[in-house]
Amino acid sequence: MVKKKVVLIFPPELTDKAITYRLVKDFDLAINILRAKVTPQEEGRLLVELSNGDETLLVQGLEYLREQGVGVQLLSQDIQWNENLCVHCGACTAVCFAKAFVLDPKSLKVSFDCDKCIACELCINTCPVQAIQGEF
Ligand code: SF4
Ligand code: SF4
């Protein structure tokens, strides 16, 4: 099973179109909606996990979205960790239930795995040195 977490950005003219329905019907994609910000007449944003056994269909589905005018951002572009600013205090690991931020007990260094991140953004305000940025 191939999975990708992406942020889909719908311009106002597309927010009432059945585009995600076409992803299921035409590309056989399973869609897990992790977060949503949709306001009528304004830009809508969905954080979704798309999955399918066939990576080609997944890529074609993303291409279809782009052709329709939907912005597609891979999740790694959403949460950004500036390791150079990080002082490894571990505060972010206490709020990250997805375990994307973890503290190595031996080295006492924090690491970030963007594949585990679900962009809840709970970590952003916990960081005392603004080493974490999010754009969802
Ligand atoms: S955004 Fe949420 S899941 Fe991602 S690293 Fe921060 S706390 Fe963890
Ligand atoms: S809260 Fe900020 S400074 Fe502390 S470990 Fe996390 S990213 Fe680094």
Side-chain angles (χ1 to χ4, degrees):
M1 182 66 65
V2 185
K3 294 182 177 181
K4 278 194 194 304
K5 288 182 199 153
V6 294
V7 178
L8 305 180
I9 305 162
F10 294 79
E13 65 274 18
L14 293 181
T15 51
D16 60 349
K17 299 278 190 304
I19 289 177
T20 48
Y21 166 75
R22 306 294 325 175
L23 284 181
V24 177
K25 188 165 186 307
D26 297 351
F27 301 96
D28 198 26
L29 298 184
I31 304 177
N32 183 15
I33 297 176
L34 302 172
R35 290 183 68 192
K37 282 184 193 170
V38 182
T39 310
Q41 312 306 321
E42 293 180 20
E43 178 185 274
R45 287 183 168 233
L46 288 182
L47 169 60
V48 297
E49 183 177 71
L50 303 174
S51 55
N52 188 293
D54 181 346
E55 187 167 12
T56 304
L57 280 174
L58 200 102
V59 171
Q60 288 174 349
L62 292 175
E63 195 50 42
Y64 162 77
L65 288 169
R66 292 190 181 101
E67 286 168 6
Q68 300 304 308
V70 178
V72 178
Q73 285 180 356
L74 295 180
L75 189 56
S76 58
Q77 295 172 294
D78 185 63
I79 292 292
Q80 316 246 335
W81 177 46
N82 187 335
E83 192 171 356
N84 292 328
L85 286 180
C86 177
V87 295
H88 300 275
C89 67
C92 54
T93 66
V95 298
C96 182
F97 55 86
K99 306 247 180 276
F101 274 112
V102 291
L103 181 66
D104 184 320
K106 285 189 182 158
S107 65
L108 296 180
K109 296 282 185 187
V110 163
S111 61
F112 175 58
D113 182 347
C114 66
D115 288 339
K116 292 183 178 169
C117 176
I118 59 165
C120 65
E121 298 192 348
L122 288 175
C123 55
I124 291 175
N125 290 334
T126 67
C127 180
V129 294
Q130 285 80 49
I132 309 167
Q133 305 287 326
E135 294 169 10
F136 183 73

